[in-house]
Amino acid sequence: MSKLAILEFPDPRLRTRAAPVEHFDAELKQLVADMFETMYGADGVGLAATQVNVHRQVLVADMSEGRNEPLALINPEILEKDGSQVYQEGCLSFPGIYADVTRALKVKVKARDVEGREIVVEVEGPLAVCIQHEMDHLAGKVFVDYLSPLKRSMLLKRLEKQRKQAVGG
Ligand code: NI
């Protein structure tokens, strides 16, 4: 396994729409394993293939406290949504930036597992937030797209400032 480089906003490649996975092969298993290693290594709760510059519909997530409930969804599709919730989200492509986003409380998702078997998962609460956030990445969307222009520009200025400090400027 190996850690992959994570694209950071405003990298235009984060706006790419991912294509469906067609081959459930060893390469896909390697990608999923590397994505888990990258996500856990960065202390993240979710990661979309888009963020590691692979434009295929693959996401990984683990919202468990013990970091021992890995979930990989390939070609995910939302079948049903219900309710709403506001949750403070972060993103590995926006280090240090957090913002409240409103999303569905519950989602029912159809996907494939790494073996290509069809699975249907019904989730709610934080895991439902995570899956919706990662599915957005696969469609070229990021969480700050939901914010007001004012709030968004404030956060992006903060991101820019942090980045300058990080390089010692
Ligand atoms: Ni994200």
Side-chain angles (χ1 to χ4, degrees):
M1 296 204 290
S2 52
K3 265 189 214 170
L4 306 167
I6 299 173
L7 302 179
E8 288 187 8
F9 191 84
D11 194 308
R13 292 171 291 183
L14 287 169
R15 295 300 184 183
T16 313
R17 271 183 168 274
V21 169
E22 287 171 7
H23 304 289
F24 293 81
D25 53 12
E27 196 191 330
L28 176 68
K29 289 196 180 89
Q30 185 64 54
L31 171 66
V32 168
D34 289 346
M35 285 175 63
F36 274 120
E37 191 183 348
T38 306
M39 178 188 82
Y40 287 125
D43 218 11
V45 293
L47 184 70
T50 311
Q51 293 176 277
V52 293
N53 199 31
V54 175
H55 302 288
R56 284 187 284 161
Q57 293 174 13
V58 178
L59 70 84
V60 297
D62 188 347
M63 290 290 298
S64 69
E65 277 194 23
R67 315 289 281 149
N68 55 3
E69 291 173 29
L71 176 67
L73 300 178
I74 322 292
N75 301 344
E77 273 176 64
I78 292 185
L79 299 177
E80 287 171 30
K81 284 186 182 197
D82 195 28
S84 84
Q85 62 180 322
V86 178
Y87 192 85
Q88 192 183 55
E89 299 186 19
C91 178
L92 293 175
S93 296
F94 293 76
I97 298 296
Y98 300 90
D100 284 348
V101 177
T102 305
R103 297 191 189 266
L105 176 63
K106 299 181 187 180
V107 288
K108 185 174 176 181
V109 178
K110 184 177 86 170
R112 302 264 171 190
D113 67 11
V114 279
E115 308 289 343
R117 292 176 294 228
E118 189 173 297
I119 50 173
V120 174
V121 291
E122 286 186 72
V123 294
E124 64 176 280
L127 184 55
V129 168
C130 181
I131 289 175
Q132 291 172 85
H133 174 120
E134 303 312 332
M135 284 184 67
D136 273 354
H137 277 301
L138 300 178
K141 277 180 86 171
V142 292
F143 77 124
V144 299
D145 295 349
Y146 292 97
L147 308 177
S148 70
L150 183 68
K151 176 89 181 160
R152 186 166 53 235
S153 73
M154 222 174 70
L155 288 177
L156 297 181
K157 266 181 210 146
R158 191 183 304 165
L159 187 67
E160 198 49 44
K161 200 172 153 194
Q162 280 174 188
R163 202 166 275 152
K164 279 181 191 147
Q165 283 167 348
V167 296

